[in-house]
């Protein structure tokens, strides 16, 4: 029976070591970065940076007959100025491409913001598109998430 007494005597050391090692080696929390939440029903975007709401902006998403993809995406590419090959060479400043040819980008038709008006992209006022573009450049594409619902 001396073995059982020895195990009982040192069990508390094993438990303490396990708890200490668990806190010492626990994974670091992931950086929050930038989250842009697009609400198609309200035609708005909420921008969250490192867990804090930084801005709420009006957007325009797909009008009747067109579709804005829903889901969670990571940006695929950033382009300071893009011209649409599909829609009459239309300017798309501060483009953040997230799925195929779909992007969040600036528009000069700011009178349509807050209403469904696009061919599927998510349109923002140019100054807001520039701010989002810069946030993504600062925090990095890998730390950015677009949530569209």
């Amino acid at each position: 029976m001396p073995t059982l007494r020895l195990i009982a005597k040192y069990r508390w050391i094993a438990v303490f070591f396990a708890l200490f090692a668990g806190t010492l080696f626990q994974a670091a929390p992931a950086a929050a970065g930038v989250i842009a939440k697009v609400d198609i029903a309200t035609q708005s975007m909420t921008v969250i940076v490192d867990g804090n709401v930084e801005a709420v902006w009006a957007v325009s998403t797909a009008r009747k007959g067109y579709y804005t993809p829903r889901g969670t995406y990571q940006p695929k590419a950033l382009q300071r100025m893009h011209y649409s090959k599909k829609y009459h060479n239309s300017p798309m400043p501060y483009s953040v491409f997230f799925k195929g040819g779909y992007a969040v980008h600036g528009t000069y038709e700011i009178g349509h913001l807050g209403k469904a008006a696009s061919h599927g992209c998510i349109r923002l006022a140019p100054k807001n598109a520039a701010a989002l573009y810069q946030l993504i450049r600062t925090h990095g594409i890998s730390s950015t998430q677009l949530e569209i619902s």
Side-chain angles (χ1 to χ4, degrees), residues 48-131:
I48 301 164
V49 180
D50 294 329
N52 300 308
V53 174
E54 294 291 320
V56 178
W57 298 319
V59 300
S60 287
T61 61
R63 67 181 184 238
K64 188 173 180 171
Y66 294 92
Y67 179 75
T68 297
R70 275 76 164 165
T72 300
Y73 302 92
Q74 191 169 59
K76 302 292 182 211
L78 302 176
Q79 199 167 346
R80 167 62 188 84
M81 178 56 88
H82 179 80
Y83 293 93
S84 173
K85 292 169 185 60
K86 190 171 182 180
Y87 296 108
H88 316 292
N89 215 30
S90 297
M92 298 167 57
Y94 304 105
S95 293
V96 178
F97 288 92
F98 62 91
K99 181 180 180 182
Y102 292 101
V104 176
H105 64 81
T107 182
Y108 300 114
E109 296 183 29
I110 58 174
H112 294 294
L113 293 173
K115 298 176 267 190
S118 80
H119 289 108
C121 285
I122 299 164
R123 298 177 182 174
L124 287 166
K127 68 182 175 97
N128 297 339

Side-chain angles (χ1 to χ4, degrees), residues 8-75:
K9 183 178 179 182
Y10 292 106
R11 184 179 313 177
W12 70 269
I13 293 173
V15 169
F16 174 77
F17 180 76
L19 291 173
F20 177 74
T23 58
L24 186 63
F25 298 111
Q26 97 182 11
V34 178
I35 301 171
K37 293 185 176 195
V38 177
D39 186 328
I40 292 174
T42 63
Q43 293 291 296
S44 65
M45 174 187 286
T46 302
V47 180
I48 301 164
V49 180
D50 294 329
N52 300 308
V53 174
E54 294 291 320
V56 178
W57 298 319
V59 300
S60 287
T61 61
R63 67 181 184 238
K64 188 173 180 171
Y66 294 92
Y67 179 75
T68 297
R70 275 76 164 165
T72 300
Y73 302 92
Q74 191 169 59

Side-chain angles (χ1 to χ4, degrees), residues 4 63 141:
L4 289 177
R63 67 181 184 238
I141 285 176

